[in-house]
């Protein structure tokens, strides 16, 4: 995509990030809820709990990824969880997702992280294709388990 820029979002980007975040949640079957999405992202900004990388083209936000810091006890090192990656439907298949993945890995490397991790839906084959084409490897050693608390 021409004129694509990726930068770390700041609180002034909250409205643009909220619209993309709401689209991301809808992609995964959640109802639109701009007010709650905005409050969620605002809390992440205010508490420094995540890093949002925003993709822009011609002054418009067209995609984002959100990284959450964590640590690996085995590696005794910083890791990041790439929890969200979303590209607006009108700009998909134009390199935005791949550029966001590269920006995320560059950001994590600059902070000394040893790994980025993500999960995606089993039926999200387009995302799986993107990850694999960007040199991400599907884990063959571990299973992911979750315990619902609500």
């Amino acid at each position: 995509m021409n004129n694509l820029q990726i930068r770390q979002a700041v609180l002034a980007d909250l409205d643009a990030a909220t619209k993309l975040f709401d689209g991301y949640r809808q992609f995964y079957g959640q109802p639109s809820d701009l007010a709650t999405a905005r409050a969620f992202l605002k809390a992440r900004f205010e508490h420094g709990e995540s890093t949002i990388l925003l993709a822009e083209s011609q002054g418009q936000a067209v995609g984002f990824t959100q990284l959450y810091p964590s640590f690996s006890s085995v590696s005794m090192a910083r890791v990041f969880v790439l929890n969200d990656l979303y590209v607006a439907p009108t700009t998909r298949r134009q390199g935005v997702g791949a550029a966001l993945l590269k920006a995320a890995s560059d950001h994590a490397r600059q902070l000394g992280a040893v790994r980025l991790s993500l999960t995606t839906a089993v039926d999200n084959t387009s995302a799986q294709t993107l990850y694999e084409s960007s040199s991400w490897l599907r884990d063959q050693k571990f299973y992911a388990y979750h315990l619902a608390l609500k």
Side-chain angles (χ1 to χ4, degrees), residues 11-95:
L11 190 56
D13 298 310
L14 183 58
D15 290 337
T18 295
K19 184 177 177 185
L20 291 166
F21 185 67
D22 193 58
Y24 168 79
R25 294 185 69 254
Q26 288 178 63
F27 178 84
Y28 280 104
Q30 299 301 309
S32 178
D33 187 345
L34 286 169
T36 305
R38 187 177 198 285
F40 180 85
L41 289 181
K42 186 174 185 220
R44 303 295 74 76
F45 277 117
E46 290 176 344
H47 299 291
E49 294 173 332
S50 72
T51 298
I52 296 174
L53 300 175
L54 196 60
E56 296 175 315
S57 178
Q58 300 177 341
Q60 296 294 313
V62 296
F64 84 101
T65 190
Q66 186 164 204
L67 305 172
Y68 290 93
S70 188
F71 294 90
S72 166
S73 297
V74 174
S75 299
M76 294 188 295
R78 175 185 297 272
V79 298
F80 281 92
V81 177
L82 192 152
N83 216 46
D84 313 317
L85 176 69
Y86 181 76
V87 175
T90 57
T91 55
R92 290 187 183 151
R93 300 200 178 281
Q94 296 179 39

Side-chain angles (χ1 to χ4, degrees), residues 102-119:
K102 182 178 181 332
S105 64
D106 290 347
H107 177 79
R109 275 189 195 95
Q110 288 173 356
L111 293 175
V114 296
R115 182 175 67 243
L116 276 172
S117 298
L118 64 79
T119 59

